[in-house]
Each structure stands twice: as structure tokens, then as C-alpha cells.
């Protein structure tokens, strides 16, 4: 056995829940610790431990990511009423991802993993399309009301000195509805910087789309902030990297995305990003093949799978069944984090190991060995449907051959 790869700085490791927690341990045992002297600062974000620590562990983990620069997170349960009963929780704790995002103030980039034999539904797509979603404001922080017939709705902004600006939204001759949304310049600026930073990291063009022709103040503000930051801080760096930034209307963007061959980043406002990332994920084949990275404007990175804890599989696992849950997105969260750690620490052997592991994973699927979610959609005619552990072991054998 050759010597294990050393790490300089620990990764912030955030464990999670259910099936993905099981897979988390398997990935470490089968594919990581045999090869790497794995250095992590471990935070247990499993629901039981979040409850036991009054969810303090989540904020601590987020601060550790700020300190060390790179984190890797397992999928976690966001409690609802059923979960409060199931786990006998002290309260309905907030979404861990929301808590972490609130600390790091980042943008989430979702990118599909492409393999031969899992063909995108859009035939022109040859390379991945990454969706960057702004994670603050708009309808997610809205206030809304029903408006009865005969009522008048107004928009009023009162400044710090008490001066009012008001405008009529609508005089309601019939009953209707009204909604108020907002956003913040610093949040939009952070979104723009995270996008430009990520584009430079991966050396891909970035598109930003909104609807400034209709929303002449609100969406226009997004467009202006993106342009201003780009020209002041990034134009020169983009030129050197050979990449471009361009703004277009959301409807034009949709048409271009469908006709494109992929290979770029699409930055979207909060709601557009919510909808478009699901559309892109589905059109590329499988949620289990979607990675996700949170990039903060300060250049701090958190990697995870885009899917959840795969609860239905977990209940089958608890009954003693072997499940064929796809571990690829979770594995790629680890390799993404290890690559970034290697890059920041100047330990190329760590990054090379992560790349080799990704390569072996893709080769394994392309040779026909895959989990059930992929056998259902693959165009390969000869496939070998395996359970999760067998898949990970097959990746290991293949890696040992490379
Ligand atoms: P989910 O875990 O993403 O799973 C939904 C369905 O998608 C599964 O039942 C399975 O379909 C399929 N699927 C997802 N990932 C798969 C994989 N790796 N391999 C094979 N199939 C996969 O979503 P959910 O069941 O709605 O949510 C479960 C829990 O996850 C919830 O408590 C939610 O709060 C949490 N969640 C966490 C995150 C996060 O931490 N980032 C994100 C989303 C949801 P079949 O059953 O048909 O095989
Ligand atoms: Mg959604």
C-alpha cells in the first residue's frame, strides 16, 4: 500500500440524516480513508444532534466554514410537523441550509454531472449548464393581502426622517389581491460577486437574466448592480480568463439556453432560479446527478448534493433491505471540496486524487454498473443494477486500475 495523501487544513465536515447519512459513512470508508489521511472538523448536523444542541451546531459549522474556507455537507432533514413528532423535537428547527446561507451570505450553484448513456432531454446540450440562484428576497420575503372590492392599495416608503413617498398600486373596483416584495443592494451585490468569482474559478461564461423592460426599477436595479460591479472589478480578469459576461431578458435567456450546447453559468433571480434549476436538473436526467456549491462573496465554499435525505429508501434500509440509492452527487460533494482544499493549500496530490475518483465514478457508470435511478433512464442496453455499497466498491476497483 502506498502512503496516504496528507492534508494541510481540515475540511469542515457536516454529517446529516437518513439514507444520505448511511451513504456518507460508506463513501468515507470505501473511497476516502483508505487513500487519504482525512483531516476534518466534524459537525453532526443530524436532526437528533441539532435538537440536542438547540441547533447551535448548525451555526457553529457555518462559522467553521468561514474560518477554514471549505466545507462539505450531507443532506439534512428540514423539520416539518411530521418530523417534530417522529423525532420528538423541542421545536421545528429552521432549514440548516438557510441557517448556513444566512451566515455565509452566499449564492448556490447547481451543476449536473454528465455521463455517456444518460442523455439530456435537450439534444443540443453537450456540456453542463450551471444555475446560480440568488438566495434572498423577492416573493420569498413577500407580504401579501386580499383586497376587497372598492379598496385602494398604495405603495408607501417612509425614509428615516419620516418623509413619505407614495404611489397607487391599484384602485380595486372588484375584489383582488396585492403583494409587496423587496430586495437589498448589498445582497444583490454579493450575488453578483459570487457569480463573477465562480465564473472565474471554473472559467465559464456567465449570463444574467431578469425582466428589466417590465420592472424598470426593481429588476433594473439588479441589472445595474451586475454591470457596475463587472466593469469596476471583473472586466479585466474576465478578459484574461477568456470568458464573458452578458445580460439578457429572461425570456430571451430561456430560448438561448434551449438552443445552446451548454457549458456556461446562468444567474437567476430567486424565483427564476428556483424554477429553472428544477427544469435544468430534470432535463439533464436525474436529481441524483446534481451537485450544489454555495459560494460566499468572500470566496468561501460549501459543497453538497442537490437532493434530500432520500427518506423512502431509508425506511426500506431500516427494514434490512439493501437499497440502490445513487451516491454520486454526495461523492462529488466530497471530491469538489477536496479539489478546492488541494487548490487552496497547494497540495496538488489531493486535487489529483479527487479528479481520479470522479473519473473512476463516471467510468463505472459508463461501463454499465449503476444504481436503479440510472438504469431506468439510461440508453445503454447492457446494464448491471447494483446496490449502493456494491457501486462504491466497483468505483474503488476501477480507481485501483487507473
Ligand atoms: P429527496 O430526498 O431528494 O428524494 C425524493 C425522491 O427522489 C426519492 O424518494 C427518490 O425517488 C429520488 N432520489 C433523490 N435522490 C436520490 C438518490 N441519490 N438516489 C436515488 N433516488 C433519489 O427528497 P424528499 O424525499 O422530498 O425529502 C426527504 C428529506 O430531505 C426531507 O426531510 C427534506 O427536508 C430533506 N431535503 C434536504 C435537502 C438538503 O439538505 N439540501 C434538500 C432537499 C430535501 P424514489 O423514491 O422514486 O426512488
Ligand atoms: Mg424548487
Amino acid at each position: 500500500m502506498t502512503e496516504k495523501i496528507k492534508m494541510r487544513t481540515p475540511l469542515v465536515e457536516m454529517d446529516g440524516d437518513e439514507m444520505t447519512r448511511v451513504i456518507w459513512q460508506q463513501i468515507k470508508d470505501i473511497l476516502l480513508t483508505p487513500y487519504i489521511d482525512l483531516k476534518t472538523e466534524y459537525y453532526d448536523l443530524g436532526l437528533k444532534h441539532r435538537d440536542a444542541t438547540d441547533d447551535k451546531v448548525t451555526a457553529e459549522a457555518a462559522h467553521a466554514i468561514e474560518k477554514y474556507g471549505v466545507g462539505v455537507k450531507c443532506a439534512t432533514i428540514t423539520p416539518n410537523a411530521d418530523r417534530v413528532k417522529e423525532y420528538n423535537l423541542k421545536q421545528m428547527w429552521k432549514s440548516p441550509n438557510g441557517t448556513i446561507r444566512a451566515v455565509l451570505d452566499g449564492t448556490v450553484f447547481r451543476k449536473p454531472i454528465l455521463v455517456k448513456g444518460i442523455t439530456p432531454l435537450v439534444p443540443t446540450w453537450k456540456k453542463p449548464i450551471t444555475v446560480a440562484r440568488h438566495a434572498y428576497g423577492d416573493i420569498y420575503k413577500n407580504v401579501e393581502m386580499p383586497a376587497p372590492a372598492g379598496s385602494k392599495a398604495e405603495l408607501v416608503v417612509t425614509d428615516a426622517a419620516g418623509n413619505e413617498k407614495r404611489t397607487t398600486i391599484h384602485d380595486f373596483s372588484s375584489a383582488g389581491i396585492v403583494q409587496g416584495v423587496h430586495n437589498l443592494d448589498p445582497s444583490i451585490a454579493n450575488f453578483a460577486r459570487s457569480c463573477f468569482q465562480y465564473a472565474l474559478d471554473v472559467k465559464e461564461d456567465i449570463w444574467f437574466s431578469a425582466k428589466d423592460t417590465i420592472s424598470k426599477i426593481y429588476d433594473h436595479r439588479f441589472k445595474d448592480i451586475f454591470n457596475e460591479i463587472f466593469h469596476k472589478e471583473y472586466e479585466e480578469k474576465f478578459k484574461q480568463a477568456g470568458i464573458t459576461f452578458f445580460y439578457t431578458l429572461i425570456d430571451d435567456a430561456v430560448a438561448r439556453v434551449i438552443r445552446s450546447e451548454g457549458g456556461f453559468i446562468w444567474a437567476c433571480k430567486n424565483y427564476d432560479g428556483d424554477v429553472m434549476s428544477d427544469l435544468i436538473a430534470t432535463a439533464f436526467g436525474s436529481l441524483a446527478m446534481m451537485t450544489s456549491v454555495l459560494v460566499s462573496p468572500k470566496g468561501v465554499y460549501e459543497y453538497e448534493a442537490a437532493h434530500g435525505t432520500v427518506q423512502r429508501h431509508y425506511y426500506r434500509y431500516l427494514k434490512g433491505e439493501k437499497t440502490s440509492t445513487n451516491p454520486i452527487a454526495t461523492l462529488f460533494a466530497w471530491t469538489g471540496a477536496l479539489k478546492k482544499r488541494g487548490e487552496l493549500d497547494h497540495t496538488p496530490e489531493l486535487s489529483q486524487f479527487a479528479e481520479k475518483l470522479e473519473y473512476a465514478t463516471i467510468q463505472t457508470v459508463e461501463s454499465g454498473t449503476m444504481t436503479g435511478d440510472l438504469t431506468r433512464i439510461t440508453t445503454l442496453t447492457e446494464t448491471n443494477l447494483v446496490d449502493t455499497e456494491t457501486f462504491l466498491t466497483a468505483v474503488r476497483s476501477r480507481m485501483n486500475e487507473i
Side-chain angles (χ1 to χ4, degrees):
M1 187 90 201
T2 47
E3 219 180 299
K4 287 189 191 181
I5 298 164
K6 296 265 180 304
M7 291 176 66
R8 285 217 177 108
T9 316
L11 276 179
V12 178
E13 174 186 354
M14 289 158 283
D15 211 340
D17 288 300
E18 300 193 311
M19 206 58 227
T20 41
R21 187 179 181 100
V22 175
I23 292 174
W24 193 257
Q25 193 60 46
Q26 289 174 339
I27 288 174
K28 282 169 55 179
D29 291 345
I30 298 171
L31 291 170
L32 301 178
T33 48
Y35 303 95
I36 309 174
D37 226 344
L38 200 61
K39 238 190 198 181
T40 72
E41 192 163 296
Y42 180 87
Y43 291 87
D44 184 0
L45 265 50
L47 187 50
K48 272 186 214 147
H49 194 242
R50 272 183 277 151
D51 195 51
T53 60
D54 293 334
D55 204 22
K56 287 199 178 67
V57 65
T58 309
E60 280 165 16
H63 290 297
I65 303 172
E66 267 191 320
K67 177 174 165 194
Y68 292 111
V70 187
V72 57
K73 180 180 167 290
C74 180
T76 45
I77 293 168
T78 298
N80 55 17
D82 291 342
R83 300 298 200 163
V84 172
K85 251 194 252 154
E86 184 184 351
Y87 285 81
N88 192 21
L89 300 179
K90 294 179 200 158
Q91 67 178 74
M92 201 186 290
W93 305 109
K94 285 190 192 151
S95 143
N97 287 19
T99 304
I100 293 167
R101 266 207 301 270
V103 173
L104 301 180
D105 191 15
T107 299
V108 173
F109 297 83
R110 271 179 151 203
K111 184 175 194 168
I113 300 157
L114 296 201
V115 293
K116 290 196 200 88
I118 312 293
T119 321
L121 298 174
V122 177
T124 52
W125 290 357
K126 304 275 184 282
K127 295 179 219 158
I129 295 168
T130 304
V131 175
R133 173 183 169 188
H134 186 211
Y136 181 83
D138 303 350
I139 59 164
Y140 303 87
K141 286 248 186 263
N142 69 359
V143 284
E144 45 186 29
M145 281 183 218
S151 63
K152 173 191 181 122
E154 289 178 293
L155 198 57
V156 184
V157 176
T158 313
D159 69 18
N163 305 308
E164 276 184 5
K165 262 196 182 158
R166 76 173 55 221
T167 179
T168 301
I169 298 171
H170 196 68
D171 284 310
F172 285 87
S173 54
S174 62
I177 41 187
V178 62
Q179 177 182 59
V181 297
H182 79 278
N183 223 299
L184 300 170
D185 287 358
S187 175
I188 301 167
N190 281 343
F191 173 45
R193 287 197 180 91
S194 298
C195 286
F196 294 137
Q197 185 57 46
Y198 185 81
L200 281 171
D201 269 2
V202 297
K203 295 210 169 31
E204 284 181 3
D205 292 344
I206 182 148
W207 307 3
F208 174 57
S209 61
K211 193 72 179 176
D212 64 293
T213 46
I214 298 296
S215 172
K216 291 187 169 64
I217 292 177
Y218 197 101
D219 277 25
H220 214 288
R221 188 86 193 121
F222 278 79
K223 179 182 174 181
D224 287 345
I225 289 175
F226 263 76
N227 278 331
E228 211 179 288
I229 289 177
F230 180 71
H231 291 307
K232 268 200 203 134
E233 300 171 28
Y234 290 94
E235 198 162 20
E236 210 37 56
K237 291 180 195 159
F238 267 52
K239 250 183 222 152
Q240 278 165 19
I243 57 173
T244 58
F245 159 61
F246 101 103
Y247 171 83
T248 187
L249 284 171
I250 177 89
D251 29 0
D252 179 51
V254 170
R256 285 171 186 259
V257 164
I258 296 296
R259 288 195 309 260
S260 78
E261 61 167 49
F264 57 90
I265 303 151
W266 182 13
C268 292
K269 289 178 57 199
N270 211 348
Y271 173 77
D272 298 341
D274 185 354
V275 179
M276 293 307 161
S277 62
D278 282 346
L279 180 109
I280 298 279
T282 307
F284 269 107
S286 168
L287 188 58
M289 298 293 277
M290 218 32 170
T291 62
S292 175
V293 53
L294 175 75
V295 180
S296 91
K298 290 183 205 134
V300 161
Y301 298 77
E302 186 218 9
Y303 294 82
E304 67 168 338
H307 61 75
T309 59
V310 211
Q311 184 182 12
R312 280 202 293 269
H313 294 210
Y314 183 60
Y315 291 162
R316 294 209 298 270
Y317 166 85
L318 288 180
K319 284 190 209 144
E321 280 178 47
K322 284 209 166 196
T323 70
S324 184
T325 316
N326 188 337
I328 295 179
T330 305
L331 176 57
F332 274 54
W334 274 102
T335 53
L338 290 169
K339 272 196 276 185
K340 182 52 81 179
R341 196 63 272 166
E343 187 190 314
L344 296 177
D345 288 352
H346 306 287
T347 48
E349 59 284 3
L350 189 62
S351 307
Q352 280 156 13
F353 167 78
E355 257 159 40
K356 197 168 131 182
L357 184 48
E358 288 183 356
Y359 181 73
T361 307
I362 289 170
Q363 288 286 308
T364 304
V365 176
E366 291 183 348
S367 73
T369 298
M370 56 185 89
T371 45
D373 57 312
L374 297 182
T375 54
R376 281 201 294 271
I377 57 171
T378 185
T379 53
L380 296 182
T381 45
E382 280 184 37
T383 58
N384 174 22
L385 195 170
V386 293
D387 63 71
T388 307
E389 203 177 336
T390 308
F391 178 79
L392 293 171
T393 310
V395 172
R396 179 169 173 170
S397 308
R398 197 160 274 273
M399 193 164 60
N400 291 338
E401 284 164 16
I402 300 171

